[in-house]
Amino acid sequence: METKRVCFLVGVFGILMFSSWQSGVMCTPDTYELVTHLMNNYSKHIRPVEKGSDTINVQYDIALKQIIDMDERNQVLLANVWLRQYWTDVHFRWNPEDYGGISNVRIASTDIWKPDIVLYNNADDKFEGIMKTNAEIDSTGAVSWFAPALLKSSCKVDIRYFPFDTQHCDLRLGSWTFAASGLNLTNVSFTGDTSAFSKNGEWTLQGMPVTREFIYYPCCPNDPYNVLTFTVIIERRVLFYLFNLIIPGMLVSALTALDFYLTADSGEKITLCITILLSLSVFLLLVAETLPPTSEVVPLISAYYMATMVLVSVSMFFCVVVLALHHRGCQGRRAPKMLRVVAYEYIAPILLCRRGCKNSQKKDKKLKYKLDGSLQELNPGVLEQNFLEMAENKNQIFGGKRANVHSNLDGIAENLQFLVQKSDDNDIDTEMINEWKDIALIFDRLFMLIFGATTIISTLAIILQAPSFN
């Protein structure tokens, strides 16, 4: 019987030791006695103050450990933090000498009263990210509770200067049920703890300032609520976007300048412009998939791609004008005098263009032939007289058929004159075609200069708006 009693006491003691270990309490008789004393008639549902009108002071601090994800499209920040809370519980006071010199104990946080501090801008539907760790309590009643947590908060993303942007994401914390008269929430320091922050591949942490404010609600206009705002300031690392979006877009845009060097006879000027325009559209779609759908502002990179697409479209219009001028000579018309003056006397000297067109005016050319080593004018009468003189000198009158000779010579002269006239017309047509081609080339170089200058100015005007360059 005595043996059974001893076994029962050992079993009970073992269960108590195990329960104490599970609760995080040091397994000593003094500790057990102290915790039993503290938890006697204790309720975790009642605010630990001596009087109902007293205010309990709670100090709050956050240590930022890691930025896990920044979802710009859904405007949500997921961060790994350590929450630190300090307050005084009047029920947890004792004399260390009465309990073997124990000045502090650790009790499960689920067994004591805790301030109902919640994340106001929480974006997690379940919000189970705070770990239930132990709280440390000293003999004066001061409670310190440190708990790691995953905070998923809504963050207003400003994409105006994307990808050279800096985001300010707020973590707004406050009591859900107690106003400032019941729970006075204060910050430990003016900045959050970032000493143990793990570097992020996409974001650079610039700081985490803390502000304290009072918010008045319609339900209780005379009793404000305390709210602490921890602002996580992060700056985007631009290297990834520089090599994957910005530089490729610039290179594709620079290819448009080569379009002005293509000859109009190649037939590929319009095709190259359309290909470049489609490439820029693909880059713009990639940017649109990354950013949140908003109509408040236009991102910097979207403005750049849109400006580049407009310039490429304008260059396509220039190419159409150049092609129209290039093939205008096939219609058999000379270029207007005003157009020739503008092209040759004003634009060509500025562009240092040395090519020019000769004066393509029809000349009254006469067919000439050589007779006895001398140059003679092709005329039926002169031709007949020369042949008759040659025939009389040699007594060869061609059988007395002077009339037939006269008729034949007239036909030959007319045919030769037609051939000469045809040759002159072909030369003039070729000269007019070359004149139109030269004018088209001059305007092509002018449009290339305009496009290049506009592209450089617009690119600098857009990119230099980023705060990184100010």
Side-chain angles (χ1 to χ4, degrees), residues 293-314:
T294 177
S295 299
E296 295 180 356
V297 293
V298 178
L300 201 64
I301 191 170
S302 298
Y304 165 73
Y305 278 116
M306 186 57 63
T308 304
M309 292 175 67
V310 170
L311 290 175
V312 173
S313 302
V314 172

PDB file of all heavy atoms in Angstrom, residues 293-314:
ATOM      1  N   PRO A 293      -2.966  47.771 -62.327  1.00  0.00           N
ATOM      2  CA  PRO A 293      -3.810  48.519 -63.269  1.00  0.00           C
ATOM      3  C   PRO A 293      -4.379  49.764 -62.608  1.00  0.00           C
ATOM      4  O   PRO A 293      -5.328  49.683 -61.820  1.00  0.00           O
ATOM      5  CB  PRO A 293      -4.913  47.508 -63.627  1.00  0.00           C
ATOM      6  CG  PRO A 293      -4.963  46.563 -62.468  1.00  0.00           C
ATOM      7  CD  PRO A 293      -3.579  46.506 -61.899  1.00  0.00           C
ATOM      8  N   THR A 294      -3.811  50.893 -62.888  1.00  0.00           N
ATOM      9  CA  THR A 294      -4.257  52.148 -62.298  1.00  0.00           C
ATOM     10  C   THR A 294      -4.301  53.229 -63.364  1.00  0.00           C
ATOM     11  O   THR A 294      -3.523  53.211 -64.326  1.00  0.00           O
ATOM     12  CB  THR A 294      -3.321  52.585 -61.153  1.00  0.00           C
ATOM     13  OG1 THR A 294      -3.746  53.842 -60.651  1.00  0.00           O
ATOM     14  CG2 THR A 294      -1.884  52.695 -61.633  1.00  0.00           C
ATOM     15  N   SER A 295      -5.225  54.155 -63.171  1.00  0.00           N
ATOM     16  CA  SER A 295      -5.351  55.291 -64.095  1.00  0.00           C
ATOM     17  C   SER A 295      -4.962  56.602 -63.425  1.00  0.00           C
ATOM     18  O   SER A 295      -5.193  57.672 -63.993  1.00  0.00           O
ATOM     19  CB  SER A 295      -6.799  55.389 -64.606  1.00  0.00           C
ATOM     20  OG  SER A 295      -7.174  54.218 -65.304  1.00  0.00           O
ATOM     21  N   GLU A 296      -4.366  56.518 -62.242  1.00  0.00           N
ATOM     22  CA  GLU A 296      -4.005  57.737 -61.528  1.00  0.00           C
ATOM     23  C   GLU A 296      -2.765  58.388 -62.132  1.00  0.00           C
ATOM     24  O   GLU A 296      -2.723  59.604 -62.302  1.00  0.00           O
ATOM     25  CB  GLU A 296      -3.769  57.405 -60.054  1.00  0.00           C
ATOM     26  CG  GLU A 296      -5.021  56.930 -59.340  1.00  0.00           C
ATOM     27  CD  GLU A 296      -4.752  56.601 -57.888  1.00  0.00           C
ATOM     28  OE1 GLU A 296      -3.563  56.686 -57.473  1.00  0.00           O
ATOM     29  OE2 GLU A 296      -5.706  56.266 -57.157  1.00  0.00           O
ATOM     30  N   VAL A 297      -1.748  57.591 -62.420  1.00  0.00           N
ATOM     31  CA  VAL A 297      -0.512  58.123 -62.974  1.00  0.00           C
ATOM     32  C   VAL A 297      -0.045  57.216 -64.108  1.00  0.00           C
ATOM     33  O   VAL A 297      -0.482  56.067 -64.222  1.00  0.00           O
ATOM     34  CB  VAL A 297       0.607  58.210 -61.898  1.00  0.00           C
ATOM     35  CG1 VAL A 297       0.260  59.233 -60.841  1.00  0.00           C
ATOM     36  CG2 VAL A 297       0.870  56.850 -61.282  1.00  0.00           C
ATOM     37  N   VAL A 298       0.837  57.764 -64.937  1.00  0.00           N
ATOM     38  CA  VAL A 298       1.463  56.993 -66.014  1.00  0.00           C
ATOM     39  C   VAL A 298       2.900  56.701 -65.594  1.00  0.00           C
ATOM     40  O   VAL A 298       3.659  57.625 -65.321  1.00  0.00           O
ATOM     41  CB  VAL A 298       1.433  57.766 -67.344  1.00  0.00           C
ATOM     42  CG1 VAL A 298       2.138  56.978 -68.437  1.00  0.00           C
ATOM     43  CG2 VAL A 298       0.003  58.068 -67.754  1.00  0.00           C
ATOM     44  N   PRO A 299       3.289  55.427 -65.519  1.00  0.00           N
ATOM     45  CA  PRO A 299       4.664  55.110 -65.115  1.00  0.00           C
ATOM     46  C   PRO A 299       5.681  55.727 -66.060  1.00  0.00           C
ATOM     47  O   PRO A 299       5.414  55.937 -67.247  1.00  0.00           O
ATOM     48  CB  PRO A 299       4.707  53.575 -65.167  1.00  0.00           C
ATOM     49  CG  PRO A 299       3.281  53.144 -65.075  1.00  0.00           C
ATOM     50  CD  PRO A 299       2.482  54.222 -65.725  1.00  0.00           C
ATOM     51  N   LEU A 300       6.845  55.995 -65.523  1.00  0.00           N
ATOM     52  CA  LEU A 300       7.900  56.638 -66.302  1.00  0.00           C
ATOM     53  C   LEU A 300       8.306  55.784 -67.493  1.00  0.00           C
ATOM     54  O   LEU A 300       8.474  56.284 -68.612  1.00  0.00           O
ATOM     55  CB  LEU A 300       9.113  56.901 -65.397  1.00  0.00           C
ATOM     56  CG  LEU A 300      10.092  57.983 -65.856  1.00  0.00           C
ATOM     57  CD1 LEU A 300       9.410  59.332 -65.870  1.00  0.00           C
ATOM     58  CD2 LEU A 300      11.303  58.013 -64.936  1.00  0.00           C
ATOM     59  N   ILE A 301       8.450  54.479 -67.268  1.00  0.00           N
ATOM     60  CA  ILE A 301       8.885  53.611 -68.351  1.00  0.00           C
ATOM     61  C   ILE A 301       7.785  53.461 -69.403  1.00  0.00           C
ATOM     62  O   ILE A 301       8.074  53.348 -70.602  1.00  0.00           O
ATOM     63  CB  ILE A 301       9.315  52.240 -67.797  1.00  0.00           C
ATOM     64  CG1 ILE A 301      10.030  51.434 -68.879  1.00  0.00           C
ATOM     65  CG2 ILE A 301       8.143  51.479 -67.226  1.00  0.00           C
ATOM     66  CD1 ILE A 301      10.691  50.188 -68.359  1.00  0.00           C
ATOM     67  N   SER A 302       6.528  53.495 -68.994  1.00  0.00           N
ATOM     68  CA  SER A 302       5.436  53.441 -69.969  1.00  0.00           C
ATOM     69  C   SER A 302       5.408  54.711 -70.813  1.00  0.00           C
ATOM     70  O   SER A 302       5.158  54.657 -72.026  1.00  0.00           O
ATOM     71  CB  SER A 302       4.100  53.249 -69.254  1.00  0.00           C
ATOM     72  OG  SER A 302       4.076  52.038 -68.542  1.00  0.00           O
ATOM     73  N   ALA A 303       5.663  55.854 -70.173  1.00  0.00           N
ATOM     74  CA  ALA A 303       5.733  57.113 -70.928  1.00  0.00           C
ATOM     75  C   ALA A 303       6.882  57.077 -71.928  1.00  0.00           C
ATOM     76  O   ALA A 303       6.751  57.574 -73.061  1.00  0.00           O
ATOM     77  CB  ALA A 303       5.904  58.287 -69.961  1.00  0.00           C
ATOM     78  N   TYR A 304       8.007  56.458 -71.526  1.00  0.00           N
ATOM     79  CA  TYR A 304       9.145  56.371 -72.436  1.00  0.00           C
ATOM     80  C   TYR A 304       8.796  55.513 -73.647  1.00  0.00           C
ATOM     81  O   TYR A 304       9.061  55.906 -74.805  1.00  0.00           O
ATOM     82  CB  TYR A 304      10.350  55.787 -71.705  1.00  0.00           C
ATOM     83  CG  TYR A 304      11.457  55.336 -72.626  1.00  0.00           C
ATOM     84  CD1 TYR A 304      12.265  56.274 -73.278  1.00  0.00           C
ATOM     85  CD2 TYR A 304      11.683  53.992 -72.881  1.00  0.00           C
ATOM     86  CE1 TYR A 304      13.265  55.879 -74.142  1.00  0.00           C
ATOM     87  CE2 TYR A 304      12.680  53.584 -73.740  1.00  0.00           C
ATOM     88  CZ  TYR A 304      13.472  54.526 -74.369  1.00  0.00           C
ATOM     89  OH  TYR A 304      14.458  54.110 -75.227  1.00  0.00           O
ATOM     90  N   TYR A 305       8.212  54.331 -73.410  1.00  0.00           N
ATOM     91  CA  TYR A 305       7.867  53.456 -74.530  1.00  0.00           C
ATOM     92  C   TYR A 305       6.792  54.078 -75.408  1.00  0.00           C
ATOM     93  O   TYR A 305       6.824  53.936 -76.641  1.00  0.00           O
ATOM     94  CB  TYR A 305       7.408  52.092 -74.008  1.00  0.00           C
ATOM     95  CG  TYR A 305       8.543  51.172 -73.659  1.00  0.00           C
ATOM     96  CD1 TYR A 305       8.745  50.742 -72.358  1.00  0.00           C
ATOM     97  CD2 TYR A 305       9.433  50.725 -74.629  1.00  0.00           C
ATOM     98  CE1 TYR A 305       9.789  49.901 -72.026  1.00  0.00           C
ATOM     99  CE2 TYR A 305      10.474  49.888 -74.318  1.00  0.00           C
ATOM    100  CZ  TYR A 305      10.657  49.481 -73.008  1.00  0.00           C
ATOM    101  OH  TYR A 305      11.704  48.647 -72.697  1.00  0.00           O
ATOM    102  N   MET A 306       5.843  54.777 -74.806  1.00  0.00           N
ATOM    103  CA  MET A 306       4.797  55.416 -75.604  1.00  0.00           C
ATOM    104  C   MET A 306       5.385  56.528 -76.466  1.00  0.00           C
ATOM    105  O   MET A 306       5.033  56.661 -77.649  1.00  0.00           O
ATOM    106  CB  MET A 306       3.711  55.965 -74.676  1.00  0.00           C
ATOM    107  CG  MET A 306       2.509  56.521 -75.411  1.00  0.00           C
ATOM    108  SD  MET A 306       1.733  55.299 -76.497  1.00  0.00           S
ATOM    109  CE  MET A 306       1.208  54.084 -75.282  1.00  0.00           C
ATOM    110  N   ALA A 307       6.300  57.325 -75.879  1.00  0.00           N
ATOM    111  CA  ALA A 307       6.948  58.380 -76.668  1.00  0.00           C
ATOM    112  C   ALA A 307       7.775  57.780 -77.797  1.00  0.00           C
ATOM    113  O   ALA A 307       7.785  58.305 -78.922  1.00  0.00           O
ATOM    114  CB  ALA A 307       7.825  59.241 -75.755  1.00  0.00           C
ATOM    115  N   THR A 308       8.458  56.673 -77.515  1.00  0.00           N
ATOM    116  CA  THR A 308       9.259  56.022 -78.555  1.00  0.00           C
ATOM    117  C   THR A 308       8.371  55.477 -79.666  1.00  0.00           C
ATOM    118  O   THR A 308       8.708  55.583 -80.851  1.00  0.00           O
ATOM    119  CB  THR A 308      10.085  54.887 -77.928  1.00  0.00           C
ATOM    120  OG1 THR A 308      10.878  55.406 -76.862  1.00  0.00           O
ATOM    121  CG2 THR A 308      11.000  54.272 -78.970  1.00  0.00           C
ATOM    122  N   MET A 309       7.235  54.903 -79.298  1.00  0.00           N
ATOM    123  CA  MET A 309       6.320  54.391 -80.328  1.00  0.00           C
ATOM    124  C   MET A 309       5.768  55.525 -81.182  1.00  0.00           C
ATOM    125  O   MET A 309       5.582  55.360 -82.401  1.00  0.00           O
ATOM    126  CB  MET A 309       5.192  53.614 -79.651  1.00  0.00           C
ATOM    127  CG  MET A 309       5.644  52.316 -79.001  1.00  0.00           C
ATOM    128  SD  MET A 309       4.333  51.485 -78.076  1.00  0.00           S
ATOM    129  CE  MET A 309       3.241  51.023 -79.400  1.00  0.00           C
ATOM    130  N   VAL A 310       5.494  56.665 -80.569  1.00  0.00           N
ATOM    131  CA  VAL A 310       5.025  57.819 -81.350  1.00  0.00           C
ATOM    132  C   VAL A 310       6.114  58.273 -82.320  1.00  0.00           C
ATOM    133  O   VAL A 310       5.833  58.571 -83.496  1.00  0.00           O
ATOM    134  CB  VAL A 310       4.619  58.963 -80.406  1.00  0.00           C
ATOM    135  CG1 VAL A 310       4.362  60.236 -81.188  1.00  0.00           C
ATOM    136  CG2 VAL A 310       3.376  58.580 -79.612  1.00  0.00           C
ATOM    137  N   LEU A 311       7.366  58.311 -81.850  1.00  0.00           N
ATOM    138  CA  LEU A 311       8.463  58.724 -82.723  1.00  0.00           C
ATOM    139  C   LEU A 311       8.660  57.739 -83.873  1.00  0.00           C
ATOM    140  O   LEU A 311       8.938  58.144 -85.011  1.00  0.00           O
ATOM    141  CB  LEU A 311       9.750  58.862 -81.913  1.00  0.00           C
ATOM    142  CG  LEU A 311       9.793  60.039 -80.923  1.00  0.00           C
ATOM    143  CD1 LEU A 311      11.071  59.995 -80.102  1.00  0.00           C
ATOM    144  CD2 LEU A 311       9.698  61.366 -81.666  1.00  0.00           C
ATOM    145  N   VAL A 312       8.532  56.446 -83.584  1.00  0.00           N
ATOM    146  CA  VAL A 312       8.663  55.451 -84.658  1.00  0.00           C
ATOM    147  C   VAL A 312       7.519  55.603 -85.655  1.00  0.00           C
ATOM    148  O   VAL A 312       7.721  55.470 -86.875  1.00  0.00           O
ATOM    149  CB  VAL A 312       8.706  54.034 -84.054  1.00  0.00           C
ATOM    150  CG1 VAL A 312       8.679  52.989 -85.157  1.00  0.00           C
ATOM    151  CG2 VAL A 312       9.948  53.847 -83.200  1.00  0.00           C
ATOM    152  N   SER A 313       6.319  55.895 -85.158  1.00  0.00           N
ATOM    153  CA  SER A 313       5.194  56.121 -86.073  1.00  0.00           C
ATOM    154  C   SER A 313       5.431  57.355 -86.941  1.00  0.00           C
ATOM    155  O   SER A 313       5.124  57.353 -88.142  1.00  0.00           O
ATOM    156  CB  SER A 313       3.899  56.279 -85.270  1.00  0.00           C
ATOM    157  OG  SER A 313       3.645  55.144 -84.476  1.00  0.00           O
ATOM    158  N   VAL A 314       5.991  58.406 -86.342  1.00  0.00           N
ATOM    159  CA  VAL A 314       6.321  59.603 -87.124  1.00  0.00           C
ATOM    160  C   VAL A 314       7.395  59.288 -88.150  1.00  0.00           C
ATOM    161  O   VAL A 314       7.354  59.775 -89.297  1.00  0.00           O
ATOM    162  CB  VAL A 314       6.772  60.740 -86.182  1.00  0.00           C
ATOM    163  CG1 VAL A 314       7.297  61.926 -86.970  1.00  0.00           C
ATOM    164  CG2 VAL A 314       5.609  61.180 -85.305  1.00  0.00           C
TER     165      VAL A 314
END
